[in-house]
């Protein structure tokens, strides 16, 4: 999700921040956070205090857009995490700093803002929480890069990157079982914990790669997210279309990840069509089956679609798409007419023609399944074929 998009999606929050943010508020928040951090071992760390001030200013300057503000802060946070590792300080200290800062900020905002703000206050807290998670991940990334390079490991966090980091990592993939196991172990994640694969149809899954709970490799197009994240959570953190796999333990992630990659490629190639931003892999199961084995698909096409294939290109495409929709509606003419926005009489006419072509096959579940797979297999080719105009309704 780009900063521009996320700002447009929260115009009320951006406008409110522009109206109320001033030097006094910035000073109050700055002092409150630094006072809380003074209770920790970073009390005399001037660099941390500078980062606190800079982070507050950046969030306000970007009108509450967490991704844009985090992108501006990325290099500073990476260097801060790197410096912690050089000082041989544990990465949990970084997490502790951010948790203390977050609690202090929350408490101060609850004091300083009116509860009458309602949904606007909820938007503010959501944006700030996303911002803090992004900053924390950036700092941890810097820490991991130094710590693992010092230990001279070959499969480590040094190969993990975020989209805003300017450093080019070595190539590691999330289907490398050894890498994922070490990554999970280093972050204290049990290999029985449930995760979901997220694979972009483009080049980048978005800002979710920067969050501390997410496991990533060097490819910006995929990540593993906790299974408790809903599709709505994922959609808020990614701008382009993604496929999400089934929830499985980390040690069983290999096949769901590969399946999600195949599904994302089918969407990217136009073989599968789905308008949603987040597409569950199971919703593309028929397309995956149809394009999983070309020889099997050819057998089913030859077995069931010879007569339909003889129709003119435009007509066969209409009947193919209608057949899929009708079978998907359980054979309900009224439902398919409503779904396709066509007259019921037209739906009746097309069902009659389908029964002439397929006969009793449409009454047998096994044949209906094979016909469905065959139709998914040929639809990309039929959609691409040039068509002549024909009478509406046929």
């Amino acid at each position: 999700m780009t900063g521009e998009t996320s700002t447009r999606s929260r115009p009320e929050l951006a406008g409110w921040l522009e109206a109320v943010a001033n030097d006094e508020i910035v000073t109050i928040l700055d002092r409150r956070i630094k006072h809380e951090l003074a209770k920790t071992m970073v009390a005399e760390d001037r660099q941390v205090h500078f980062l606190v001030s800079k982070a507050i200013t950046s969030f306000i300057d970007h009108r509450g857009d967490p991704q844009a503000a985090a992108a501006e802060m990325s290099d500073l946070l990476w260097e801060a995490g790197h410096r912690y590792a050089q000082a041989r300080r544990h990465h949990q200290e970084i997490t502790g700093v951010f948790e203390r800062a977050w609690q202090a900020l929350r408490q101060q905002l609850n004091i300083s803002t009116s509860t009458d703000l309602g949904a606007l206050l909820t938007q503010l807290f959501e944006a700030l929480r996303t911002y803090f998670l992004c900053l924390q991940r950036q700092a941890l990334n810097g820490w991991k890069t130094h710590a693992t390079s010092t230990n001279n490991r070959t499969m480590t966090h040094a190969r993990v990157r975020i989209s805003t980091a300017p450093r080019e990592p070595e190539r590691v993939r999330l289907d490398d079982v050894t890498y994922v196991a070490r990554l999970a172990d280093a972050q204290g994640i049990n290999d029985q914990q449930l995760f979901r694969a997220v694979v972009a149809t483009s080049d980048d899954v978005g800002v979710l790669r920067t969050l501390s709970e997410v496991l990533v490799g060097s490819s910006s197009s995929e990540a593993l997210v906790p299974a408790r994240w809903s599709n709505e959570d994922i959609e808020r953190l990614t701008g382009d279309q993604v496929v999400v796999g089934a929830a499985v333990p980390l040690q069983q992630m290999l096949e769901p990840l590969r399946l999600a990659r195949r599904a994302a490629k089918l969407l990217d190639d136009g073989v599968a069509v789905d308008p949603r931003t987040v597409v569950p892999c199971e919703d593309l199961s028929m397309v995956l089956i149809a394009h999983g084995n070309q020889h099997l698909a050819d057998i089913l096409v030859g077995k069931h679609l010879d007569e339909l294939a003889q129709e003119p290109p435009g007509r066969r495409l209409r009947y193919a798409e209608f057949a899929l929709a009708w079978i998907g509606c359980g054979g309900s003419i009224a439902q398919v007419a409503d779904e396709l926005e066509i007259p019921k009489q037209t739906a009746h006419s097309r069902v009659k023609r389908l029964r002439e072509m397929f006969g009793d096959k449409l009454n047998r579940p096994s044949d209906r399944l094979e016909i469905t797979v065959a139709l998914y297999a040929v639809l990309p080719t039929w959609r691409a074929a040039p068509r002549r105009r024909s009478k509406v309704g046929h």
Side-chain angles (χ1 to χ4, degrees):
M1 181 183 298
T2 64
E4 184 181 1
T5 301
S6 57
T7 300
R8 286 201 303 267
S9 67
R10 296 190 303 277
E12 302 89 353
L13 176 58
W16 179 78
L17 280 173
E18 191 171 22
V20 304
N22 53 44
D23 291 342
E24 181 181 358
I25 290 179
V26 171
T27 300
I28 290 173
L29 295 176
D30 186 73
R31 287 177 178 172
R32 181 69 181 85
I33 294 174
K34 289 176 182 176
H35 174 74
E36 182 64 30
L37 294 183
K39 300 175 184 178
T40 73
M41 61 185 300
V42 297
E44 303 303 323
D45 194 329
R46 294 182 181 179
Q47 180 68 11
V48 170
H49 287 186
F50 164 75
L51 289 173
V52 170
S53 301
K54 179 65 176 174
I56 294 172
T57 303
S58 180
F59 184 81
I60 292 174
D61 287 348
H62 286 281
R63 303 174 71 199
D65 183 339
Q67 288 81 31
E72 180 180 333
M73 294 291 297
S74 62
D75 285 349
L76 290 173
L77 268 296
W78 193 96
E79 294 295 342
H82 196 268
R83 192 163 49 84
Y84 260 57
Q86 287 178 318
R88 298 184 179 278
R89 294 162 85 164
H90 198 275
H91 67 83
Q92 289 181 349
E93 289 187 44
I94 295 176
T95 303
V97 167
F98 277 95
E99 285 303 317
R100 283 181 175 272
W102 170 246
Q103 293 303 325
L105 181 62
R106 249 188 105 96
Q107 291 168 9
Q108 188 60 51
L109 286 173
N110 283 328
I111 295 171
S112 303
T113 56
S114 170
T115 55
D116 295 338
L117 290 173
L120 192 59
L121 189 59
T122 301
Q123 286 183 25
L124 176 62
F125 278 125
E126 287 180 352
L128 283 168
R129 188 55 177 163
T130 299
Y131 184 43
F132 266 66
L133 289 172
C134 290
L135 296 180
Q136 178 177 308
R137 181 55 180 265
Q138 289 162 349
L140 286 172
N141 194 70
W143 183 93
K144 293 168 186 174
T145 299
H146 175 83
T148 55
S149 61
T150 300
N151 292 333
N152 195 29
R153 296 178 184 175
T154 57
M155 289 288 182
T156 63
H157 297 293
R159 299 172 182 178
V160 180
R161 69 171 179 179
I162 58 175
S163 58
T164 54
R167 297 159 180 81
E168 182 64 27
E170 298 177 50
R171 298 293 299 172
V172 290
R173 294 164 61 91
L174 290 176
D175 55 12
D176 184 325
V177 178
T178 303
Y179 169 76
V180 172
R182 291 180 178 178
L183 188 61
D185 182 63
Q187 295 187 207
I189 297 173
N190 189 297
D191 62 4
Q192 292 300 312
Q193 185 172 332
L194 299 182
F195 274 75
R196 301 168 77 193
V198 177
V199 182
T201 57
S202 60
D203 296 328
D204 201 327
V205 292
V207 75
L208 68 82
R209 279 178 54 82
T210 68
L211 303 187
S212 58
E213 296 179 276
V214 179
L215 303 181
V216 296
S218 56
S219 171
S220 62
S221 65
E222 58 190 39
L224 306 181
V225 304
R228 68 176 182 278
W229 286 20
S230 67
N231 290 347
E232 290 73 22
D233 293 331
I234 295 171
E235 184 170 3
R236 282 196 294 269
L237 295 167
T238 184
D240 295 326
Q241 188 178 54
V242 297
V243 173
V244 292
V248 297
L250 275 177
Q251 63 176 4
Q252 300 174 21
M253 182 56 69
L254 185 60
E255 288 307 317
L257 173 60
R258 289 176 175 173
L259 196 63
R261 285 174 178 166
R262 283 184 52 212
K265 188 175 189 312
L266 290 173
L267 285 168
D268 188 38
D269 291 344
V271 173
V273 179
D274 196 302
R276 293 174 293 177
T277 301
V278 178
V279 183
C281 198
E282 58 265 29
D283 290 357
L284 300 174
S285 56
M286 276 298 175
V287 187
L288 288 163
I289 292 171
H291 295 272
N293 187 305
Q294 188 60 51
H295 179 62
L296 176 60
D298 290 342
I299 290 174
L300 295 180
V301 170
K303 180 180 178 181
H304 297 292
L305 302 186
D306 276 351
E307 186 172 351
L308 179 57
Q310 302 307 312
E311 297 284 341
R315 186 179 299 172
R316 76 183 180 193
L317 177 60
R318 280 196 300 278
Y319 273 106
E321 292 179 332
F322 177 85
L324 281 178
W326 179 60
I327 292 172
C329 290
S332 168
I333 292 178
Q335 186 176 341
V336 75
D338 183 60
E339 183 177 304
L340 298 180
E341 299 180 346
I342 58 176
K344 288 185 180 179
Q345 186 58 41
T346 300
H348 273 288
S349 174
R350 291 183 182 177
V351 169
K352 181 180 178 181
R353 178 66 182 122
L354 289 175
R355 290 198 178 279
E356 290 174 357
M357 284 190 280
F358 293 107
D360 291 340
K361 292 179 179 179
L362 293 176
N363 298 325
R364 293 192 288 268
S366 60
D367 282 330
R368 283 201 306 271
L369 177 60
E370 289 185 355
I371 291 169
T372 300
V373 172
L375 289 170
Y376 272 113
V378 299
L379 266 177
T381 302
W382 287 5
R383 285 175 177 143
R387 286 167 263 167
R388 299 192 305 270
R389 288 183 176 272
S390 60
K391 295 179 181 180
V392 176
H394 292 278

